[in-house]
């Protein structure tokens, strides 16, 4: 990660530390302060600032608007963790584990309200901004529902899966870039190109996340490695393995998927071995790079000086190379 990107993340983290979500009752606001203090990559607010910086140099003036996207993102994580019954978030207890599900639901609701508060002083047409934000938020919810639907579906296509991650993950990255361009008063053509850039690198980002869930170093990753395998999550890796497996491999995969009682470590090792036999890691990397390359094509279409694009290109390269 470049020093410029680290500086933007530092700016965001400092502002988050200063920001107050509310005081009393403490039981409502402490879980918000907790999840926002856990760190994370701050991808989305960084993208807001980087998009703005393509056109203007006073990015410090839109920090609160960039925070709105991060608060909204963490609101979705808090609720997603409840639905997934996830024990860890960024290597720490999830909110519903540290407190309880009711607290996590209610605190998450307040986070959504506070995200809207942070949009109120945005430069530009607030009606247009809120409309775009709402379309993005609805898309994220649609993606989460598709993801939950997949749990009980016997067959999910690659196309279905790509559409789900586009909604659940990628549209928020696309909106972050679109939002930064809107705040800078960029042209409609540039705003649309940045949105498409964000969606494509967002799909690539999620494919890398799926890959890391199986192949990452546990200490670096911050989440349970192999969690998707344990829960039979229909990721690109599993779908591709079921599609390409020979008869024996498919039988073994199906047996592991159907087992109600199993040793988690044994299941992760066995399924990963099948992935290795088929070459799933390489196939996933290829699909991931396909979407990142599409994103770079959109970025090339934006008519600003090439040196202004350096930050976004470096950021996308960081997403490609990350190991956590």
């Amino acid at each position: 990660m470049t020093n410029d990107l680290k500086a933007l993340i530092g700016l965001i983290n400092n502002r988050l530390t200063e920001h107050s979500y509310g005081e009393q009752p403490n039981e409502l606001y402490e879980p918000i302060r907790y999840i926002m203090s856990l760190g994370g990559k701050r991808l989305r607010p960084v993208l807001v600032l980087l998009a703005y910086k393509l056109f203007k140099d006073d990015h410090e003036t839109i920090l609160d608007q960039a925070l709105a996207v991060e608060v909204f993102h963490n609101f979705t994580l808090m609720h997603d963790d409840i639905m997934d019954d996830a024990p860890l978030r960024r290597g720490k207890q999830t909110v519903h584990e540290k407190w309880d599900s009711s607290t996590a639901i209610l605190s998450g609701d307040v986070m959504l309200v506070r995200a809207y508060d942070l949009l109120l002083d945005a430069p530009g047409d607030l009606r247009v901004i809120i409309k775009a934000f709402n379309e993005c938020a609805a898309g994220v919810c649609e993606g989460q529902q598709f993801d939950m639907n997949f749990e009980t579906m016997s067959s999910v296509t690659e196309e279905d899966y790509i559409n789900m991650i586009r909604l659940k993950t990628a549209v928020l990255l696309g909106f972050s870039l679109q939002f930064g361009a809107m705040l800078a008063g960029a042209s409609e053509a540039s705003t649309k190109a940045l949105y498409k850039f964000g969606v494509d690198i967002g799909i690539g980002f999620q494919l890398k996340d799926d890959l890391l869930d199986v192949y990452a170093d546990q200490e670096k990753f911050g989440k349970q490695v192999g969690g998707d395998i344990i829960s039979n999550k229909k990721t690109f890796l599993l779908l591709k393995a079921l599609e390409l497996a020979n008869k024996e491999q498919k039988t073994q995969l199906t047996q592991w998927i159907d087992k109600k009682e199993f040793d988690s470590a044994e299941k992760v090792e066995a399924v990963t071995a099948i992935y290795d036999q088929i070459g799933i890691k390489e196939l996933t990397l290829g699909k991931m790079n396909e979407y990142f390359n599409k994103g770079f094509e959109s970025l090339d279409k934006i008519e600003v000086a090439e040196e202004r694009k350096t930050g976004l290109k470096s950021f996308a390269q960081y997403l490609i190379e990350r190991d956590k």
Side-chain angles (χ1 to χ4, degrees), residues 256-276:
W256 279 112
I257 290 168
D258 291 342
K259 274 188 180 182
K260 302 300 180 189
E261 294 184 11
F262 52 84
D263 178 89
S264 294
E266 184 184 359
K267 180 176 181 177
V268 170
E269 184 179 353
V271 173
T272 302
I274 296 170
Y275 287 173
D276 291 343

Side-chain angles (χ1 to χ4, degrees), residues 4-157:
D4 286 346
L5 291 176
K6 288 177 182 176
L8 290 179
I9 292 171
L11 200 62
I12 290 159
N13 284 330
N14 288 341
R15 184 70 186 104
L16 282 170
T17 302
E18 297 167 357
H19 187 67
S20 173
Y21 305 95
E23 297 301 328
Q24 294 296 330
N26 188 60
E27 294 82 359
L28 180 65
Y29 293 109
E30 182 58 26
I32 301 174
R33 290 188 286 270
Y34 171 76
I35 193 170
M36 296 305 297
S37 73
L38 294 182
K41 304 173 192 72
R42 308 303 188 202
L43 304 183
R44 294 143 191 91
V46 165
L47 287 174
V48 176
L49 298 181
L50 285 173
Y52 186 91
K53 277 166 61 66
L54 281 177
F55 310 99
K56 291 189 173 183
D57 296 318
D58 58 340
H59 58 279
E60 296 89 350
T61 63
I62 62 150
L63 264 181
D64 278 356
Q65 285 72 57
L67 295 193
V69 181
E70 183 69 2
V71 173
F72 170 75
H73 172 59
N74 279 270
F75 145 71
T76 66
L77 296 182
M78 198 185 287
H79 282 190
D80 285 0
D81 285 341
I82 301 168
M83 289 180 264
D84 295 341
D85 197 24
L88 295 177
R89 170 63 62 184
R90 296 164 187 154
K92 302 289 185 180
Q93 275 187 300
T94 47
V95 171
H96 70 276
E97 286 283 334
K98 188 173 176 64
W99 283 272
D100 54 58
S101 293
S102 296
T103 298
I105 290 168
L106 194 60
S107 294
D109 291 344
V110 175
M111 290 179 78
L112 179 58
V113 173
R114 294 297 180 242
Y116 279 103
D117 283 344
L118 288 163
L119 295 175
L120 292 177
D121 294 326
D125 189 333
L126 191 58
R127 287 171 62 91
V128 174
I129 289 168
I130 294 293
K131 186 174 186 294
F133 181 81
N134 286 348
E135 286 176 0
C136 169
V140 172
C141 294
E142 290 164 7
Q144 175 67 5
Q145 185 62 58
F146 279 130
D147 196 16
M148 292 191 295
N149 290 352
F150 289 174
E151 293 175 11
T152 55
M153 290 169 61
S154 58
S155 177
V156 175
T157 67

Side-chain angles (χ1 to χ4, degrees), residues 127-274:
R127 287 171 62 91
V128 174
I129 289 168
I130 294 293
K131 186 174 186 294
F133 181 81
N134 286 348
E135 286 176 0
C136 169
V140 172
C141 294
E142 290 164 7
Q144 175 67 5
Q145 185 62 58
F146 279 130
D147 196 16
M148 292 191 295
N149 290 352
F150 289 174
E151 293 175 11
T152 55
M153 290 169 61
S154 58
S155 177
V156 175
T157 67
E158 179 182 324
E159 184 181 5
D160 290 335
Y161 181 73
I162 295 296
N163 182 54
M164 183 274 289
I165 63 174
R166 179 184 67 81
L167 289 165
K168 184 176 177 179
T169 300
V171 296
L172 186 52
L173 271 65
F175 170 76
S176 298
L177 288 158
Q178 174 190 20
F179 186 34
M182 291 167 73
L183 294 173
S187 70
E188 185 176 351
S190 292
T191 302
K192 286 182 177 178
L194 277 167
Y195 178 80
K196 187 171 188 316
F197 169 67
V199 169
D200 284 331
I201 68 169
I203 293 171
F205 166 80
Q206 185 57 52
L207 289 168
K208 183 65 179 278
D209 222 42
D210 291 353
L211 196 64
L212 288 172
D213 189 90
V214 176
Y215 290 102
D217 182 326
Q218 173 71 69
E219 290 185 9
K220 292 180 180 178
F221 195 42
K223 293 186 284 187
Q224 183 179 30
V225 171
D228 289 346
I229 291 175
I230 293 166
S231 64
N232 295 329
K233 195 171 180 66
K234 292 183 176 71
T235 64
F236 180 85
L237 284 76
L238 178 58
L239 296 175
K240 211 65 185 169
L242 288 169
E243 177 191 336
L244 299 175
N246 61 34
K247 187 176 180 181
E248 182 184 349
Q249 291 164 338
K250 193 162 189 175
T251 299
Q252 291 175 9
L253 274 174
T254 304
Q255 287 174 344
W256 279 112
I257 290 168
D258 291 342
K259 274 188 180 182
K260 302 300 180 189
E261 294 184 11
F262 52 84
D263 178 89
S264 294
E266 184 184 359
K267 180 176 181 177
V268 170
E269 184 179 353
V271 173
T272 302
I274 296 170

Side-chain angles (χ1 to χ4, degrees), residues 1-2 5 8-9 41-44 46-47 50 173 177 197 201 292 296 309-321:
M1 185 181 292
T2 66
L5 291 176
L8 290 179
I9 292 171
K41 304 173 192 72
R42 308 303 188 202
L43 304 183
R44 294 143 191 91
V46 165
L47 287 174
L50 285 173
L173 271 65
L177 288 158
F197 169 67
I201 68 169
F292 275 107
F296 285 125
K309 298 179 184 178
T310 303
L312 277 174
K313 288 183 176 179
S314 298
F315 191 82
Q317 198 61 41
Y318 158 69
L319 295 185
I320 294 169
E321 297 171 358

